[in-house]
Amino acid sequence: MVSQIKPTSAAVAGLLAVTAAVLAGVRTVWYWTSRPDTLAAVDRADRVVDAARSTVVQTQDLLNWGWLAAAVLLLALGAVVALASTGRWLLFGFSALVCMPLGVAGFRLPAAAGLNGTAAGFCVLVVAASAVALLTGRRD
């Protein structure tokens, strides 16, 4: 007899959060390896005035550390949500207050080709994880 494993909503939410964490980690490493391309993209950006170009690059560098921190924290939160079926509201709060602004900044600032797409994919995964965690959770 074959047993069917039915994933719980917490497991699905945790898996989505872990996937978002992996994508944030990939974006972090990708930024470090393609930083010269990002510098060129900032130099070519029409919407950035010349005086602000160095500030935009410094902001990108700082935000990259935020991407790394978000990857680590999402990995931990995703594991807690998936394995212990707890922390759904914490995942939602972290997603709303940290991950979404980080993703939007990563999408809006000039960057190397492909980094904007990973930021958009990260936003989609974070929203999906939060939605699954909150909308399918127990009602106490």
Side-chain angles (χ1 to χ4, degrees):
M1 193 158 217
V2 176
S3 67
Q4 291 187 356
I5 299 173
K6 293 183 180 178
T8 64
S9 63
V12 172
L15 182 63
L16 286 168
V18 167
T19 305
V22 169
L23 190 59
V26 166
R27 190 192 187 284
T28 300
V29 172
W30 193 350
Y31 176 81
W32 283 330
T33 59
S34 66
R35 190 169 183 275
D37 296 334
T38 298
L39 295 174
V42 170
D43 285 339
R44 288 189 312 265
D46 294 335
R47 64 179 185 232
V48 178
V49 294
D50 290 335
R53 294 193 194 283
S54 65
T55 304
V56 170
V57 171
Q58 290 173 347
T59 302
Q60 286 279 43
D61 291 341
L62 183 63
L63 283 174
N64 200 52
W65 288 107
W67 281 98
L68 181 61
V72 170
L73 290 173
L74 267 178
L75 191 62
L77 278 172
V80 167
V81 169
L83 300 175
S85 295
T86 187
R88 294 170 190 238
W89 283 102
L90 187 58
L91 175 64
F92 173 73
F94 181 71
S95 297
L97 296 175
V98 175
C99 294
M100 287 306 295
L102 185 66
V104 170
F107 182 73
R108 293 292 300 155
L109 290 173
L115 290 177
N116 292 347
T118 58
F122 175 78
C123 288
V124 168
L125 285 170
V126 166
V127 167
S130 294
V132 169
L134 294 182
L135 296 177
T136 61
R138 293 186 323 260
R139 307 285 190 272
D140 293 334

